[in-house]
Amino acid sequence: MRRLLFGVSSILLLVCSCMKNNDKEIKDVEELQESASLEMSDVHSQVTDSGFIKYDFEAPNMLQYDNEEEPYIDFPNGLKFKMYSAQGTTIKSRIRCNNARYMKNAKVWILNNDVEAMTAKGEILNTEQLYWDTQQHRIYSEKFVKITTQHQVITGVGFESDEKLSKYEIKRPGGEIELENVKKD
C-alpha cells in the first residue's frame, strides 16, 4: 500500500510540475523582468575620495534594471557628468548627453544624442554616440565626430581615445579647419 501511495504521489508531483503556465503568469513574470527595480528623479550625486570631490553627476531620471540578463542603469533624459582634479578644486573634464545607459557587468557607458565632452584644455568633442569603457579607460565612437580645439576643428567618422582625450585618433578623418584668432569688440 505504501508503494502504491508513493507511486501515485510521485506521478501527481511530476504531472503538476509539468503543467503549462497560463498566459497571465507568463505576462506577470515578463513585466517584472522589464520593469525597473529602482526609479529615481532629480538625481545629483558626488563621489569623493579622502574628502575631495572626484566625480559629480546630475540626471533628471534614473532607472535601474537589475532583473535583466545584462543589468543596466538607464538615464532616458540625459545626464551631466564632471570629473575633478586630484584636490577636487577644478573641473578636469565634463560630459553631457540627452540619453545614457551604464552596462553594469561590462562597466561601459553608452552616451547618445547630442553628446558633448570637454577636456581640461578646453577641447570639445561632439558626436551622436560615445562609448566609455571605464575598465580599459578609453572612449570610442563609430559615428561622426567633431573635435574643436583652440586652433582648429577636426571632423571624421570613428574615434578612439584615452578617457582624458589627450591621445586620440579619428579613424576616417573628414578634414581640418584652422581657426584664426579673431578679436571680438
Side-chain angles (χ1 to χ4, degrees):
M1 184 66 152
R2 284 187 191 191
R3 283 185 172 174
L4 179 63
L5 284 175
F6 178 74
V8 169
S9 60
S10 295
I11 290 171
L12 282 174
L13 180 63
L14 181 63
V15 168
C16 289
S17 66
C18 294
M19 291 179 77
K20 185 178 178 182
N21 292 332
N22 68 37
D23 290 340
K24 183 181 178 340
E25 289 173 335
I26 293 171
K27 186 178 178 185
D28 289 346
V29 170
E30 286 174 349
E31 285 178 4
L32 177 64
Q33 288 177 336
E34 292 173 1
S35 64
S37 52
L38 175 66
E39 294 183 31
M40 297 176 71
S41 296
D42 299 321
V43 178
H44 184 203
S45 181
Q46 292 182 330
V47 177
T48 60
D49 183 16
S50 304
F52 298 113
I53 299 172
K54 295 295 177 189
Y55 306 104
D56 179 295
F57 84 89
E58 296 177 46
N61 302 91
M62 183 182 99
L63 306 169
Q64 188 166 316
Y65 295 88
D66 291 322
N67 298 323
E68 296 294 320
E69 192 173 314
E70 297 279 337
Y72 64 93
I73 302 171
D74 202 23
F75 300 88
N77 298 316
L79 67 84
K80 295 177 183 175
F81 179 85
K82 298 174 194 163
M83 188 181 303
Y84 286 82
S85 63
Q87 291 75 31
T89 54
T90 58
I91 298 172
K92 287 190 336 184
S93 59
R94 61 185 170 92
I95 297 173
R96 68 159 184 75
C97 62
N98 292 337
N99 176 283
R101 180 170 286 181
Y102 178 68
M103 305 306 293
K104 293 172 76 172
N105 292 344
K107 294 182 176 36
V108 172
W109 284 91
I110 305 168
L111 310 172
N112 292 299
N113 304 329
D114 197 20
V115 180
E116 180 176 277
M118 179 184 277
T119 68
K121 296 188 283 184
E123 296 177 341
I124 300 171
L125 166 71
N126 296 97
T127 187
E128 284 301 307
Q129 185 173 57
L130 186 69
Y131 292 86
W132 176 16
D133 185 329
T134 61
Q135 287 184 312
Q136 305 233 345
H137 305 286
R138 70 184 192 99
I139 58 176
Y140 55 94
S141 178
E142 296 302 321
K143 304 286 185 182
F144 175 82
V145 295
K146 178 176 88 170
I147 299 173
T148 306
T149 69
Q150 188 175 4
H151 303 289
Q152 61 186 350
V153 175
I154 306 165
T155 62
V157 176
F159 167 84
E160 189 167 341
S161 174
D162 63 332
E163 65 187 15
K164 296 177 184 177
L165 281 173
S166 60
K167 297 176 186 171
Y168 57 83
E169 172 189 358
I170 295 180
K171 295 177 183 177
R172 289 182 285 158
E176 293 181 24
I177 301 171
E178 296 293 325
L179 302 176
E180 294 181 21
N181 291 332
V182 178
K183 284 191 171 183
K184 295 183 180 181
D185 294 330

